[in-house]
Structures are given as structure tokens and as C-alpha cells.
Amino acid sequence: KPLAIKRPILSFIYMKISKKEMRLMVEILYSILFAIIYIPLIYKNRIALLNDPSDFTGLIIEIIVASIIYYTVSYIIIESICRKNIINDERDSLIKLKVYKWGYIVFEVFLIGLISFTIWANKKPAFSIGIEDLIFYILVSVVMITFIKSSIQLFLYRTS
């Protein structure tokens, strides 16, 4: 008699996940790890970016090397687990179009909010925003948009 899975955590473990969904999970995990590890470092050193950009190059090189290693190892593991080729059909095209649209909407909302806040903050001397803060906020938006796009894409693959 097979064991009935009643807990949602166990059902998540035993569900079938396609290669595309695994790749999306890798992107989501990378966005989360980037936000936890590198965003605080960049925030702490954002003023040094304008004063001496050479201090910032070490962190940028570290981010690039860590990204290459993370994605290389992740995709090697995915390819060793799942040997099937990815087949793209109309459903995939529709999902990509929907995700692109959502990512663009999120980016527009963030950009309008950032511009509005910058205009408001520059009218109040206590809240002035420098170029280093704008660069940081744009970086945060890119990480946030990547996370949202990958999450929406994963949701659409799982539900459609």
C-alpha cells in the first residue's frame, strides 16, 4: 500500500520538476543569495564608489567570479540530473511574453517611484539623495526584478 502524502512539504519533495523549472529555481536562489550576501556589502561601500572606484573593482570581480561558479556548478548538476533536451513550444513563448510584460511593468513602477522619491527628496535638504544612492537603488531594482520575473515564470510553468 503506497504511503499517502498529506504534508505539503513532502509533496513538494516528490513532485516532478522539469529542467526549465530547475533553472528558474536556480535563478530565484541566486537572487536571494545575492540580496543576502552582496547587497549589504554594496550598500556599505556605496560612497567609496564615487570617491575611489578602484576600491570597488575587487567587489565587482568577486561578484562576477562567484556568479560564474554558481551558475556553472548549478547547470552541471541540472544537466547530470535531467538529461532530456528542453523542448520549446507555444506555451513557452506565451509564458516568456507574459513574464517580459510583468518584468517591464515592475521596472516601470520602480523607476517612477525612484524618480518621484528623488524629486521629493531633493526638495527636502534632510533627505537628499546622491548618485551613489541612485546606483544602489538601481542595483536593488535589478535583483528584485530578476527575482519577481523568475518567480512569476516558475508559477506560470507550474500552473499552466
Side-chain angles (χ1 to χ4, degrees):
K1 181 177 176 183
L3 178 66
I5 300 173
K6 296 182 179 179
R7 296 185 182 108
I9 295 174
L10 291 178
S11 64
F12 178 74
I13 293 171
Y14 292 111
M15 73 180 175
K16 290 189 175 189
I17 299 173
S18 69
K19 188 185 259 188
K20 292 177 191 174
E21 293 166 350
M22 285 185 207
R23 287 183 174 190
L24 291 170
M25 288 181 186
V26 164
E27 288 179 20
I28 291 170
L29 183 63
Y30 181 76
S31 297
I32 292 170
L33 290 174
F34 189 89
I36 291 171
I37 297 170
Y38 291 112
I39 294 293
L41 287 173
I42 293 169
Y43 181 76
K44 186 175 78 174
N45 297 325
R46 72 187 187 286
I47 297 173
L49 173 66
L50 290 178
N51 295 338
D52 189 14
S54 63
D55 292 341
F56 217 63
T57 55
L59 182 61
I60 291 171
I61 291 170
E62 180 181 336
I63 290 171
I64 291 170
V65 169
S67 300
I68 291 170
I69 291 171
Y70 173 80
Y71 279 110
T72 303
V73 170
S74 298
Y75 287 151
I76 287 172
I77 291 171
I78 289 173
E79 290 296 324
S80 66
I81 291 173
C82 202
R83 297 201 183 262
K84 293 182 196 175
N85 290 336
I86 295 177
I87 299 170
N88 290 325
D89 55 1
E90 290 179 15
R91 181 179 148 249
D92 296 326
S93 299
L94 290 173
I95 288 174
K96 286 180 184 177
L97 288 173
K98 284 181 185 179
V99 168
Y100 179 78
K101 179 179 135 187
W102 275 101
Y104 190 71
I105 290 170
V106 169
F107 179 71
E108 282 181 343
V109 167
F110 179 79
L111 192 61
I112 290 170
L114 183 62
I115 291 169
S116 302
F117 182 73
T118 304
I119 291 170
W120 175 81
N122 286 334
K123 289 182 180 178
K124 311 252 187 226
F127 293 107
S128 72
I129 294 179
I131 189 72
E132 67 276 353
D133 293 325
L134 285 176
I135 292 170
F136 174 74
Y137 293 138
I138 290 170
L139 180 67
V140 169
S141 74
V142 168
V143 172
M144 182 180 67
I145 290 168
T146 303
F147 176 78
I148 290 172
K149 282 177 63 175
S150 298
S151 299
I152 290 172
Q153 193 169 3
L154 181 63
F155 175 75
L156 289 173
Y157 273 119
R158 297 300 303 168
T159 57
S160 61

